């Protein structure tokens, strides 16, 4: 193992800071003329791309036929995964030699390629190699292995496994009593009351894997995931997978091959995520011993936690999120950067943040170093009857952390399968929320005459959709994001299981979108220590300047976040609390969080809101739109007055028009989407300086035309008609301003 880790580290050192970035990998600031000269036929790096499975006894003839079909459909790149039923073992010399020939075929067609980092999903099982070759590096968890109810005066007496980490008696009132263990044996007599003795052990547990090397072709635990929290396990993963591709096709890295694509790494397990160094890391960060609380935490779904235990759970998941980021995501991002590649990744449960907090810790912490953050739109998460703002998480991560792209995996397991018109709607829903790299599912290899593109991809209008997607992806990747409002994701509350905070966050996303407010979601780490503060602005690593931060009903905030928000407000920024100010403030630990002092948030604005709270996450498939936030009379006016002036406003308010915008060197580009089934007709006002001109960029036709506009206060006004579920791209040339 040390030899493997050493090779990876030395490889990174020899690569220095990594290969020079290509233009598509960098934020830029082009002129309107530069964009106009390229947008009709943008570079292949901007996609779109199908997810292609190399399934069955595939031949180069099949690959050539499928790549030609992809090009005819309008695809510019391809995401490629080892497929079920292959006659070449995964990662074997035979497979890698074949893959090199495949890369050559992609290159010959001037297409680009993303390599799926595993033989299925979630990423991190290396096609079964951890179970077969390195079982000591498999995923681990803390679980309750014994539960015994005892009454007052009764005794618990048991020999314990060497894997035992805690033995705890849990009282009916939630009280916890640690039972001493001596020489592998526990003995305890219960005092008055009813008690449950819980034995907590560490053991190998894994999220189920859907592996194309599994002969049963089922999603199960036979091929374990790696221990995501252990950098040594990820070093071994890189040695198994990425290094094998480097040896075979490394000369195409950064050219034909754009990077590695990961999928849904998470802890969908019973129990708590764990690694052998977890307790040491916990003590180092939090300064106390967590073992006395484990019995309550491992059975949190079976018994409600006390307030003290909820705070400890937040501390536990804080450490977990750190270890997950540093043990799994960052090493892969660093490896890719060192080899001129990008790391593209999406998580699980993006649309259900409380679930994500338990299985991945924190969306933003996981994405901190990922070069192309992503989401997936599956099942029924986006449809005309389902309003879904969660794609903004990925684009916000890209904006906050300084990356030009955010991607989607769309259409997997859709019920029902969309037609081409619905596919356009689903992509537009994501474009207007900042996604700008489109991957579509699924295109199994046409081996033996089977497979090939999905039914909706065969419709005559589908190539037009892909050409549209390529142009829109390019346009909305150019320049820099322009949102000046930030919506805080209250991570501590998600770890605590605060359903109302989660519901308020989701409803606030919708409320802002309905009022054409362009915003980014921002995380507590960015506020507390990452983003510079300049004259009442938090400046993202992409360069957009947040003038207001909205905090949606946070019950607990870290002291470091509160201090930065206070400094932000003192320098001229706006901090807006929806619902109420926090009741608790945590310094080093959530466990020791203190009560808020009277008047402590006098420097902020607070607006009363109310909303329905759903006690459990919605079930799949999602078939109804989330309930909108109910605001007190005049509350939206209070919110709007506290926020910076919108770059785009409507003469007559309508909630069905969505907007996002970006800036170029001498222009501002606006993407508008009519999210309703009725025609949008009305006057639109755009912020602009003297002498500004407006153009309509027809993305489908690749045409540019001037738009008649009249002078209005601080800008221009124009009349627009937008068909149901259609988009418009407006470019305001010279003099445009968002300040």
């Amino acid at each position: 193992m040390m030899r493997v880790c050493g090779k990876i580290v030395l490889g990174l050192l020899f690569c220095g800071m990594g290969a020079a970035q290509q233009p598509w990998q960098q934020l830029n600031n082009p002129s309107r003329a530069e964009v106009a000269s390229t947008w009709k036929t943008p570079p292949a790096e901007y996609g779109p791309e199908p997810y292609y499975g190399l399934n069955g006894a595939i031949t180069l003839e099949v690959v050539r036929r499928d790549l030609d079909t992809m090009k005819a459909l309008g695809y510019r790149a391809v995401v490629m995964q080892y497929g079920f039923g292959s006659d070449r073992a995964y990662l074997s010399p035979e497979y890698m030699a074949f893959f090199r020939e495949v890369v050559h075929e992609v290159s010959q067609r001037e297409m680009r390629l993303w390599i799926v980092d595993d033989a299925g999903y979630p990423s991190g099982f290396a096609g079964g190699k951890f179970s077969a070759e390195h079982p000591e590096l498999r995923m681990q968890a803390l679980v309750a292995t014994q539960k015994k109810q005892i009454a007052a005066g009764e005794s618990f007496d048991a020999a314990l496994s060497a894997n035992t980490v805690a033995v705890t008696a849990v009282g009916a009132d939630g009280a916890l009593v640690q039972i001493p263990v001596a020489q592998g044996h526990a003995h305890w007599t219960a005092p008055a009351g009813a008690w449950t003795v819980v034995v907590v052990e560490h053991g190998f547990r894994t999220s189920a894997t859907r592996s194309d090397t599994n002969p049963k072709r089922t999603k199960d635990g036979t091929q374990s995931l790696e221990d995501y929290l252990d950098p040594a396990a990820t070093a071994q993963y890189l040695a198994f997978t990425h290094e094998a591709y480097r040896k075979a096709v490394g000369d195409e890295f950064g050219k034909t091959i754009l990077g590695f694509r990961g999928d849904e790494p998470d802890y969908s397990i019973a129990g708590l995520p764990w690694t052998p160094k977890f307790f040491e890391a916990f003590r180092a960060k939090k300064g106390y011993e967590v073992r006395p609380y484990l019995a309550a935490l491992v059975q949190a779904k079976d018994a409600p936690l006390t307030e003290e235990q909820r705070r400890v759970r937040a501390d536990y998941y804080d450490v977990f999120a750190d270890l997950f980021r540093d043990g799994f995501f960052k090493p892969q991002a660093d490896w890719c950067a060192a080899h001129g590649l990008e790391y593209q990744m999406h998580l699980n449960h993006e649309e259900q943040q409380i679930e994500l907090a338990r299985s991945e810790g924190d969306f933003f912490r996981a994405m901190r170093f990922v070069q192309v953050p992503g989401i997936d739109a599956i099942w029924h998460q986006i449809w005309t009857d389902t309003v879904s703002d969660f794609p903004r998480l990925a684009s916000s991560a890209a904006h906050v952390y300084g990356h030009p792209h955010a991607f989607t995996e769309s259409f997997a397991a859709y019920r029902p399968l969309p037609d081409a018109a619905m596919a356009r709607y689903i992509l537009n829903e994501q474009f207007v929320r900042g996604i700008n790299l489109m991957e579509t599912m699924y295109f199994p290899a046409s081996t033996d005459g089977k497979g090939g593109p999905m039914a909706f991809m065969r419709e005559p209008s589908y190539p037009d959709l892909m050409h549209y997607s390529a142009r829109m992806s390019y346009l909305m990747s150019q320049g820099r994001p322009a949102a000046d409002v930030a919506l805080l994701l209250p991570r501590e509350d998600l770890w605590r299981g605060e359903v109302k905070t989660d519901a308020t966050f989701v409803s606030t996303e919708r409320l802002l979108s309905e009022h054409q407010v362009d915003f980014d979601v921002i995380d507590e780490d960015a506020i507390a220590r990452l983003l510079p503060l300049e004259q009442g602005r938090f400046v993202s690593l992409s360069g957009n300047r947040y003038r207001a931060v909205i905090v949606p009903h946070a019950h607990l905030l870290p002291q470091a976040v509160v201090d930065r928000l206070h400094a932000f407000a003192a320098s001229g920024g706006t901090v807006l609390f929806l619902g109420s100010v926090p009741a608790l403030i945590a310094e080093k630990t959530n466990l020791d969080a203190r009560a808020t002092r009277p008047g402590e948030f006098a420097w902020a604005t607070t607006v009363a809101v109310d909303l329905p709270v759903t006690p459990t996450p919605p079930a799949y498939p999602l078939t109804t739109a989330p309930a909108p936030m109910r605001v007190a009379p005049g509350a939206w006016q209070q919110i709007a007055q506290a926020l910076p002036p919108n770059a785009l406003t409507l003469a007559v308010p309508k909630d069905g028009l969505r907007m996002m915008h970006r800036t170029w060197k001498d222009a501002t580009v606006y993407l508008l989407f009519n999210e309703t089934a009725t025609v949008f007709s009305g006057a639109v006002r755009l912020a602009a300086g003297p002498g500004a001109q407006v153009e309509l960029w027809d993305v489908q036709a690749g045409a540019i035309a001037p738009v008649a506009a009249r002078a209005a206060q601080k800008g221009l006004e124009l009349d627009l008609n937008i068909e149901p579920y259609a988009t418009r791209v407006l470019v305001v040339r010279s003099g445009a301003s968002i300040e």
Side-chain angles (χ1 to χ4, degrees):
M1 173 53 59
M2 291 304 296
R3 289 195 300 272
V4 170
C5 295
K7 289 179 181 178
I8 298 293
V9 172
L10 285 174
L12 292 174
L13 290 174
F14 283 130
C15 290
M17 295 301 292
Q21 285 189 315
Q22 301 297 317
W24 73 277
Q25 296 174 293
Q26 305 172 55
L27 287 162
N28 59 13
N29 189 31
S31 68
R32 174 260 176 210
E34 289 170 331
V35 177
S37 69
T38 312
W39 79 301
K40 289 185 181 180
T41 308
E45 289 83 359
Y46 296 87
E49 54 214 27
Y51 193 104
Y52 181 54
L54 297 171
N55 49 284
I58 191 170
T59 64
L60 276 182
E61 180 182 1
V62 171
V63 171
R64 293 184 186 115
R65 178 174 68 229
D66 290 342
L67 290 175
D68 289 341
T69 299
M70 292 174 202
K71 286 209 73 173
L73 290 173
Y75 287 114
R76 313 297 308 285
V78 56
V79 177
M80 199 170 292
Q81 184 205 303
Y82 178 88
F84 185 83
S86 175
D87 55 357
R88 304 171 184 88
Y90 182 51
L91 301 174
S92 67
E94 295 77 16
Y95 174 71
M96 300 314 299
F98 175 71
F99 193 83
R100 180 168 182 81
E101 293 180 302
V102 170
V103 172
H104 176 71
E105 296 297 330
V106 174
S107 175
Q108 289 292 102
R109 289 159 177 79
E110 297 183 337
M111 296 175 71
R112 298 293 181 264
L113 172 66
W114 291 90
I115 302 173
V116 176
D117 61 5
D118 222 316
Y121 70 94
S123 298
F125 61 95
K129 286 184 174 291
F130 279 99
S131 291
E133 300 178 27
H134 279 281
E136 78 283 2
L137 294 177
R138 290 175 293 158
M139 179 179 282
Q140 297 198 52
L142 298 179
V143 295
T145 56
Q146 295 186 52
K147 293 183 183 179
K148 183 177 180 181
Q149 294 182 345
I150 60 174
E154 294 181 346
S155 294
F156 175 81
D157 194 271
L160 303 173
S161 162
N163 293 335
T164 301
V165 297
V167 184
T168 307
V170 183
D173 61 353
L176 302 175
V177 176
Q178 297 310 299
I179 298 176
V181 177
Q183 297 180 334
H185 191 273
H187 180 83
W188 181 74
T189 301
W195 299 86
T196 300
V197 176
V198 181
V199 177
V200 179
E201 296 182 12
H202 69 81
F204 293 107
R205 299 289 190 277
T206 185
S207 303
T209 53
R210 174 64 171 84
S211 172
D212 282 335
T213 65
N214 185 340
K216 294 185 292 182
R217 205 169 188 178
T218 59
K219 187 175 181 180
D220 59 29
T222 58
Q223 296 185 3
S224 177
L225 293 161
E226 62 151 291
D227 179 355
Y228 291 141
L229 312 185
D230 183 357
T234 300
Q236 181 60 65
Y237 183 59
L238 290 167
F240 279 145
T241 55
H242 296 49
E243 285 293 328
Y245 284 106
R246 183 190 61 78
K247 292 173 183 176
V249 293
D251 56 326
E252 289 291 342
F253 281 5
K255 294 182 284 188
T256 303
I257 298 171
L258 304 182
F260 283 85
R261 195 306 211 163
D263 198 325
E264 295 189 358
D266 80 338
Y267 282 80
S268 291
I269 55 172
L272 296 171
W274 189 80
T275 191
K277 293 184 178 180
F278 188 93
F279 296 140
E280 176 185 342
F282 189 95
R283 285 190 296 270
K285 183 168 188 178
K286 299 298 180 180
Y288 69 93
E289 178 60 62
V290 73
R291 295 185 197 220
Y293 298 94
L294 294 178
L297 301 186
V298 297
Q299 53 181 356
K301 289 188 176 182
D302 300 326
L305 298 179
T306 66
E307 171 60 25
E308 179 185 31
Q309 292 160 5
R310 293 173 72 205
R311 296 187 192 186
V312 173
R313 180 170 67 179
D315 281 340
Y316 192 99
Y317 280 98
D318 186 13
V319 175
F320 161 54
D322 275 353
L323 294 176
F324 205 169
R325 176 197 61 205
D326 296 338
F328 186 72
F329 298 105
K330 187 177 187 298
Q332 292 187 75
D334 288 348
W335 190 96
C336 286
H339 292 86
L341 303 174
E342 301 278 83
Y343 179 33
Q344 182 184 116
M345 165 66 70
H346 79 82
L347 304 179
N348 198 6
H349 305 123
E350 295 114 349
E351 81 293 354
Q352 296 174 305
Q353 283 294 299
I354 283 185
E355 291 301 311
L356 185 147
R358 294 168 181 163
S359 60
E360 286 114 317
D362 177 58
F363 181 90
F364 282 90
R365 205 170 282 180
M367 292 295 178
R368 173 65 185 89
F369 300 103
V370 173
Q371 289 93 351
V372 188
I375 50 92
D376 65 351
I378 60 174
W379 297 92
H380 200 88
Q381 293 164 333
I382 300 176
W383 203 263
T384 52
D385 62 357
T386 307
V387 177
S388 298
D389 287 293
F390 71 89
R392 200 179 289 265
L393 288 164
S395 62
S396 296
H399 299 167
V400 171
Y401 297 141
H403 304 299
H405 304 288
F407 91 100
T408 177
E409 170 202 312
S410 287
F411 312 129
Y414 250 83
R415 302 291 186 272
L417 193 69
D419 58 16
M422 183 57 72
R424 183 183 291 265
Y425 173 88
I426 293 165
L427 294 182
N428 281 333
E429 280 274 85
Q430 297 175 85
F431 275 128
V432 82
R433 289 166 173 85
I435 300 297
N436 55 18
L437 187 60
M438 301 299 179
E439 172 197 298
T440 62
M441 294 280 280
Y442 176 51
F443 194 122
S446 60
T447 310
D448 299 328
K450 302 176 182 178
M454 300 288 285
F456 67 96
M457 299 179 184
R458 302 173 190 265
E459 294 182 28
S461 63
Y462 194 76
D464 283 343
L465 175 57
M466 292 299 97
H467 293 309
Y468 167 90
S469 179
R471 289 171 181 157
M472 188 70 84
S473 291
Y474 180 74
L475 284 178
M476 304 317 294
S477 300
Q478 300 306 295
R480 295 175 183 270
D484 58 4
V485 173
L487 174 63
L488 183 68
L489 182 65
R491 179 181 60 215
E492 317 292 322
D493 277 12
L494 297 176
W495 290 332
R496 286 163 46 84
E498 294 283 357
V499 174
K500 189 167 185 178
T501 302
D502 183 41
T504 306
F505 170 80
V506 172
S507 295
T508 305
E509 288 184 300
R510 181 174 175 185
L511 185 70
L512 295 173
S513 293
E514 288 175 342
H515 289 86
Q516 296 80 47
V517 177
D518 192 5
F519 67 96
D520 284 335
V521 182
I522 194 168
D523 66 307
E524 293 177 357
D525 290 344
I527 291 288
R529 54 185 168 271
L530 179 65
L531 300 189
L533 175 56
E534 298 178 1
Q535 299 178 333
R537 310 288 191 269
F538 279 123
V539 184
S540 80
L541 300 189
S542 295
N544 54 317
R545 302 165 69 84
Y546 305 120
R547 302 165 66 185
V549 177
I550 302 173
V551 183
H553 210 288
H555 184 76
L556 184 153
L557 282 181
Q559 182 72 62
V561 173
V562 173
D563 290 344
R564 286 299 303 290
L565 290 176
H566 190 183
F568 173 69
S571 66
T574 296
V575 178
L576 177 61
F577 287 99
L578 296 185
S580 64
V581 300
L584 297 170
I585 298 177
E587 293 187 358
K588 184 173 183 179
T589 74
N590 287 280
L591 175 60
D592 297 324
R594 63 171 176 83
T596 302
R597 304 182 187 101
E600 192 164 359
F601 291 95
W603 42 266
T605 301
T606 304
V607 177
V609 297
D610 190 19
L611 71 161
V613 175
T614 303
T616 57
Y620 287 121
L622 302 175
T623 55
T624 58
M629 181 183 296
R630 296 198 302 265
V631 295
W636 173 251
Q637 287 73 21
Q638 295 179 56
I639 294 170
Q641 289 172 7
L643 298 180
N646 271 13
L648 177 149
T649 57
L650 305 181
V652 178
K654 296 181 181 180
D655 63 12
L657 188 69
R658 302 295 193 256
M659 183 277 284
M660 73 158 295
H661 66 317
R662 297 177 70 91
T663 59
W664 301 340
K665 182 183 295 183
D666 53 2
T668 300
V669 56
Y670 293 86
L671 170 58
L672 310 180
F673 176 49
N674 179 6
E675 205 173 63
T676 72
T678 59
V679 173
F680 170 86
S681 180
V684 175
R685 296 166 183 162
L686 301 174
Q693 299 174 342
V694 184
E695 297 174 334
L696 174 65
W697 289 42
D698 185 331
V699 180
Q700 188 65 73
I704 300 173
V707 176
R710 51 193 174 270
Q713 186 178 14
K714 296 183 179 180
L716 297 171
E717 183 175 280
L718 59 147
D719 297 318
L720 280 182
N721 288 285
I722 308 178
E723 296 80 11
Y725 307 136
T727 60
R728 291 288 185 274
V729 172
L730 301 176
V731 173
V732 180
R733 300 178 58 181
S734 70
S737 173
I738 63 169
E739 286 292 322

